[in-house]
Amino acid sequence: ATKALEEADEWFDVNFKVPQAQPVQVETINSSVSWSPPPADLLKCDVGVRWNSAERICGAAWIIRNHDGKALLHSRRAFTGVNSKLEAELQGFCWVMESLISTHHTNIIVESDCGMAREAILNPTKFPWFGYLLEKIIHALPFLYPCSLEHVEGARNKVAEEIAVSVTRDHRCQSYVASGGPRWLLNRLESEARRACT
């Protein structure tokens, strides 16, 4: 299993773009820093994960948009018995990979602000206790090729985060996959789509 993870780690480094972590800056996020559209020939899947340590519940969400900012598909689900933020992020990522494969999406940028998952995916041998989840994530990636994983600051990932928060804050635990974007976030989606077109 360790050898397989090492080989997967090398393969990941060669085939996938994951930007270097940005230094932490203590400042107010400028309102112009928001979701950015993918190139015209790609889709973007934003991933949100939120963990409630007291209830050991995790909310995960994804939303796929095109270069015009149009929401094509979104989904949400809950995980229970989750013991750490890293476990929550990896459970969420694993589910996202499986969802994208089952909906036959390729040529896609998967974007999130899950910093702990990013570190574990880049260095899986340092996290052997999550080996099973990491193997599932890494082995799913070729099925999405061409694909890239990108780490962004939270201000660029607000829609997916809000959907994930709806699980932990509002106890909306019903899983679903739906076309378009959630109605309760239409104003934000329309605002980000307008910015994408300017």
Side-chain angles (χ1 to χ4, degrees):
T2 301
K3 182 170 172 45
L5 281 173
E6 287 172 357
E7 290 173 357
D9 190 26
E10 289 172 14
W11 183 91
F12 185 91
D13 288 341
V14 170
N15 290 284
F16 289 90
K17 173 188 171 188
V18 181
Q20 293 297 310
Q22 298 298 311
V24 176
Q25 297 176 344
V26 182
E27 62 180 7
T28 303
I29 299 296
N30 189 301
S31 61
S32 65
V33 177
S34 64
W35 182 82
S36 61
D41 58 338
L42 297 175
L43 297 174
K44 182 174 279 188
C45 175
D46 297 297
V47 177
V49 178
R50 185 56 62 95
W51 178 56
N52 181 320
S53 58
E55 298 182 16
R56 296 172 61 230
I57 187 171
C58 162
W62 54 262
I63 182 166
I64 297 173
R65 286 182 272 184
N66 65 14
H67 66 283
D68 292 322
K70 180 181 178 183
L72 307 177
L73 207 62
H74 71 284
S75 185
R76 175 186 71 205
R77 73 158 292 175
F79 296 92
T80 57
V82 180
N83 296 311
S84 69
K85 184 177 180 184
L86 176 55
E87 182 183 354
E89 291 185 2
L90 291 176
Q91 286 275 21
F93 253 98
C94 193
W95 166 69
V96 169
M97 298 294 106
E98 291 170 349
S99 297
L100 293 177
I101 290 169
S102 68
T103 55
H104 306 291
H105 281 93
T106 58
N107 223 34
I108 194 162
I109 298 167
V110 180
E111 191 172 82
S112 84
D113 59 353
C114 294
M116 296 180 79
R118 174 187 179 276
E119 174 65 20
I121 292 168
L122 281 173
N123 301 289
T125 55
K126 293 182 180 178
F127 301 88
W129 49 94
F130 290 118
Y132 174 69
L133 287 172
L134 286 164
E135 279 193 66
K136 286 183 73 175
I137 293 166
I138 292 167
H139 290 174
L141 289 169
F143 294 97
L144 302 174
Y145 188 82
C147 161
S148 68
L149 298 181
E150 299 188 3
H151 182 259
V152 296
E153 58 189 73
R156 292 187 179 271
N157 199 33
K158 287 294 188 184
V159 170
E161 277 295 316
E162 277 297 311
I163 301 171
V165 166
S166 72
V167 174
T168 56
R169 181 191 60 208
D170 306 327
H171 295 94
R172 297 180 183 179
C173 294
Q174 180 67 44
S175 298
Y176 68 82
V177 178
S179 59
R183 290 181 185 160
W184 54 282
L185 286 174
L186 280 184
N187 287 342
R188 185 183 290 277
L189 286 165
E190 288 169 0
S191 173
E192 291 185 350
R194 282 194 298 273
R195 287 196 196 103
C197 295
T198 58

